[in-house]
Amino acid sequence: MSRDYYETLGVSKASSDADIKKAYRTLAMQYHPDRNKGDKAAEAKFKEINEAYETLKDPQKKAAYDRYGHESYKNASSGGGGFHNRGFSSDDFSFDSSSPFSDIFDEFFNNRSERMDMRGADLRYETSITLEEAFRGKNIDLKIKTNISCKACRGTGSEGGARPKACPSCRGTGKMRFSQGFFMVERTCTACNGTGHIIENSCRECRGAGRVGTTKNISVSIPAGIEDGARIRLSGEGEAGIRGGNSGDLYIFVSVKPHKLFRREGSTINCDVPISIITAALGGDIEVPTIDGKKAIVKIPAGTQSGNIMKLRNKGMTIIRSTMRGDMMIHARVETPVNLTKKQRELLAEFDTENNSHPQSSGFFSKVKEFWQEL
Ligand SMILES: [Zn+2]
Ligand SMILES: [Zn+2]
């Protein structure tokens, strides 16, 4: 996904409005859902193109975007939450008619309450843990590059923390009203960019932004029993807002690596265990590893078949936010011996002269007989 609206449309900051519009139309035609039925990638691209154009076609939004940068602008314009974009569906799509009338309406309805919400960006961090760590839970210490509130100006952006002055152009409302033909048009104040106040002396530490870049240490506890793909939200641990706006959130995405012995299904641990023909036929005890790093003894009953399952109660995964554990399932894989000695071959041949009971074979061959008779 492009991180920048200009990049999305393949234009530069210096491109004219006409060039931006042309680039948008070309791309919108190319990725339009009607031409790319069922293509999710094209659909996502189409939304991105629309979102980018929505901002770049509007001089005020474009100015705000250039001024605050992609992340801050997106958070502000989507009302917080860097993860949800403003909802565009393909139904919202229409080529803009460019009539002056529609432009006035557009401004009147869209810009009337558009005051920049200066919420900080959400941060996303991904971590990958082992199944054993998911079983026990884990504390991780993160070093996160982020923006924090500027100490020098206490986040106000004005030197020494002085209170910003109300914007004289809009008298602190963030909006300008004037009449245009029959309409009273309200637009975002360009002097203060809709914030309603101006800073006379910008803080030297943060150049007026009210926040500074830093590396923050955060300790996160991943609960025992966490599922692969789970998301942990740390409220307010994202980037500081601009000039006193609310902080964003920090999201930790946890993936659990596949294990070489165990397959997890929720709180159940599955393990395939090879069993010799002899143990399978005569029965016996075998030792199996468990997810807690210990061992368990499994009783193999005489006559065990490949695929039979033995259950070990409470030897599975931790059930999240509890002290309970799921079960462990041992899947028997009866193994045929290879590289037999002459003596072993003779013994097996002798063994085969006795009349053995093979439950699967007798069932199978009686079905084969029926099958032939029915033809
Ligand atoms: Zn400052
Ligand atoms: Zn103003």
Side-chain angles (χ1 to χ4, degrees):
M1 193 173 160
S2 304
R3 300 309 302 151
D4 177 39
Y5 287 156
Y6 291 100
E7 208 180 301
T8 302
L9 295 182
V11 294
S12 76
K13 276 194 186 184
S15 296
S16 69
D17 291 356
D19 285 343
I20 291 173
K21 184 179 236 166
K22 206 173 132 201
Y24 164 70
R25 287 194 173 200
T26 310
L27 289 169
M29 295 279 263
Q30 190 183 339
Y31 292 99
H32 194 283
D34 288 350
R35 288 189 171 189
N36 300 277
K37 284 229 185 321
D39 184 346
K40 288 280 168 221
E43 195 186 316
K45 181 84 182 159
F46 183 73
K47 282 182 192 171
E48 266 185 67
I49 295 162
N50 272 296
E51 195 187 307
Y53 186 60
E54 237 348 70
T55 296
L56 298 187
K57 75 172 181 189
D58 181 318
Q60 265 136 34
K61 288 183 186 172
K62 186 171 182 286
Y65 181 77
D66 290 347
R67 178 166 174 177
Y68 294 108
H70 187 80
E71 281 308 323
S72 304
Y73 177 84
K74 262 192 85 159
N75 280 310
S77 61
S78 63
F83 293 109
H84 13 90
N85 297 336
R86 192 145 41 153
F88 268 107
S89 77
S90 51
D91 301 332
D92 290 332
F93 180 77
S94 64
F95 283 118
D96 91 75
S97 61
S98 323
S99 80
F101 203 74
S102 83
D103 279 353
I104 290 168
F105 264 91
D106 188 54
E107 270 169 17
F108 195 74
F109 289 111
N110 293 335
N111 291 344
R112 55 191 314 178
S113 63
E114 194 183 278
R115 218 180 124 133
M116 291 285 272
D117 166 1
M118 306 287 190
R119 187 180 184 274
D122 288 327
L123 296 175
R124 181 192 169 115
Y125 185 90
E126 285 170 36
T127 187
S128 175
I129 61 172
T130 64
L131 190 63
E132 291 93 322
E133 288 168 336
F135 168 75
R136 282 190 289 269
K138 192 189 184 191
N139 286 314
I140 51 172
D141 293 315
L142 304 178
K143 276 191 192 307
I144 287 177
K145 272 195 154 69
T146 184
N147 287 312
I148 56 163
S149 183
C150 172
K151 284 201 182 75
C153 62
R154 295 192 295 279
T156 58
S158 70
E159 185 66 30
R163 279 181 70 91
K165 238 177 79 177
C167 170
S169 308
C170 61
R171 291 188 216 92
T173 61
K175 293 164 214 151
M176 303 280 268
R177 311 184 90 207
F178 54 92
S179 50
Q180 186 172 334
F182 299 112
F183 294 94
M184 180 57 85
V185 177
E186 197 173 70
R187 53 164 75 224
T188 308
C189 172
T190 47
C192 63
N193 261 296
T195 61
H197 49 248
I198 52 165
I199 291 170
E200 291 186 300
N201 295 307
S202 290
C203 167
R204 270 171 295 206
E205 288 288 315
C206 62
R207 295 200 197 93
R211 53 181 202 169
V212 287
T214 188
T215 304
K216 201 155 108 177
N217 293 309
I218 297 174
S219 178
V220 185
S221 139
I222 297 177
I226 194 155
E227 290 277 352
D228 180 40
R231 189 181 80 167
I232 299 170
R233 175 168 170 254
L234 299 176
S235 181
E237 294 288 0
E239 290 200 327
I242 299 172
R243 285 181 217 141
N246 290 334
S247 292
D249 298 330
L250 169 64
Y251 289 89
I252 316 272
F253 286 77
V254 182
S255 62
V256 180
K257 291 176 201 156
H259 195 276
K260 58 185 168 195
L261 288 174
F262 306 126
R263 283 189 321 277
R264 176 191 192 177
E265 274 174 84
S267 66
T268 302
I269 294 274
N270 294 287
C271 184
D272 292 342
V273 179
I275 290 166
S276 75
I277 289 185
I278 317 302
T279 308
L282 303 179
D285 288 349
I286 60 160
E287 207 175 60
V288 295
T290 51
I291 187 67
D292 53 14
K294 296 180 187 154
K295 295 167 188 168
I297 303 293
V298 183
K299 196 164 266 314
I300 305 294
T304 290
Q305 304 293 334
S306 215
N308 281 14
I309 299 171
M310 274 74 61
K311 188 198 265 187
L312 294 175
R313 285 201 175 279
N314 308 324
K315 296 283 183 195
M317 281 301 278
T318 317
I319 297 171
I320 197 159
R321 291 178 229 297
S322 84
T323 52
M324 296 189 296
R325 283 174 69 179
D327 300 327
M328 181 171 181
M329 301 295 190
I330 306 296
H331 300 253
R333 296 279 174 257
V334 177
E335 196 173 30
T336 309
V338 296
N339 300 328
L340 301 178
T341 63
K342 187 165 173 281
K343 174 120 190 269
Q344 285 172 322
R345 278 201 302 273
E346 282 166 9
L347 283 169
L348 282 176
E350 193 190 326
F351 170 84
D352 204 32
T353 58
E354 301 277 329
N355 224 352
N356 301 313
S357 167
H358 286 100
Q360 285 175 32
S361 298
S362 49
F364 176 75
F365 289 118
S366 66
K367 279 178 202 151
V368 169
K369 216 168 140 190
E370 276 168 34
F371 171 72
W372 279 330
Q373 278 165 355
E374 282 160 13
L375 283 178

